[in-house]
């Protein structure tokens, strides 16, 4: 199975959300992602700072790693597109070694899956 290497940084975007709501959304998405077989996911920052100012990017960044089968990548793309589609103005940016890919509302899961395949170690080689 291909390993996600180096790690992929996943940034959640929800410009209409407060830092607290964005933190909560990241925590919920992290929980959903933990159900994807072979995926390791951690928060870049675990708790929001007391004032919550200027921290949106830090609060809403997850780091993905692990070893994924093709079926797990399909599940991961479905989870990500589902999160984006559940709210207005949501988007996810995947970043790995300077390569950025954005998933916006309406992005078909198969397109998101293609992005994830490109970020896998074997496909960047």
């Amino acid at each position: 199975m291909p390993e996600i290497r180096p790690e992929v940084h996943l940034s959640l975007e929800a410009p209409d959300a407060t830092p607290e709501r964005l933190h909560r959304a990241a925590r919920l998405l992290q929980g959903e992602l933990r159900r994807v077989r072979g995926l390791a996911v951690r928060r870049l920052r675990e708790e929001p700072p007391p004032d919550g100012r200027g921290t949106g990017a830090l609060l809403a960044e997850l780091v993905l790693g692990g070893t994924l089968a093709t079926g797990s990548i399909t599940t991961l793309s479905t989870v990500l597109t589902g999160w984006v589609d559940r709210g207005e103005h949501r988007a996810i940016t995947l970043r790995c070694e300077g390569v950025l890919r954005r998933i916006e509302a309406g992005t078909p899961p198969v397109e998101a899956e293609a992005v994830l395949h490109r970020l896998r170690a074997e496909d960047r080689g």
Side-chain angles (χ1 to χ4, degrees):
M1 281 185 268
E3 186 176 356
I4 295 180
R5 185 184 204 120
E7 298 170 321
V8 174
H9 287 245
L10 183 153
S11 300
L12 282 67
E13 300 172 30
D16 55 342
T18 64
E20 293 79 17
R21 288 188 71 204
L22 193 55
H23 174 72
R24 202 168 331 129
R27 190 177 66 237
L28 292 172
L29 181 58
Q30 181 182 14
E32 288 181 43
L33 291 171
R34 283 191 172 145
R35 290 186 243 147
V36 176
R37 188 173 159 182
L39 182 67
V41 59
R42 65 181 170 82
R43 297 285 300 274
L44 193 60
R45 181 184 191 118
E46 288 299 325
E47 295 298 324
D51 66 2
R53 293 185 194 148
T55 59
L58 292 175
L59 289 177
E61 189 162 338
L62 303 174
V63 181
L64 309 179
T67 305
L68 296 176
T70 300
S72 295
I73 288 182
T74 301
T75 302
L76 176 57
S77 68
T78 301
V79 170
L80 296 179
T81 55
W83 183 84
V84 169
D85 288 341
R86 282 194 298 268
E88 285 187 54
H89 312 297
R90 284 186 178 183
I92 290 174
T93 300
L94 300 170
R95 185 178 78 249
C96 183
E97 292 190 322
V99 177
L100 297 174
R101 298 287 188 259
R102 186 177 165 102
I103 299 171
E104 299 175 327
T107 300
V110 70
E111 207 173 295
E113 185 176 339
V115 166
L116 293 165
H117 278 289
R118 284 194 298 267
L119 292 174
R120 286 190 337 188
E122 70 177 26
D123 295 329
R124 286 195 316 271

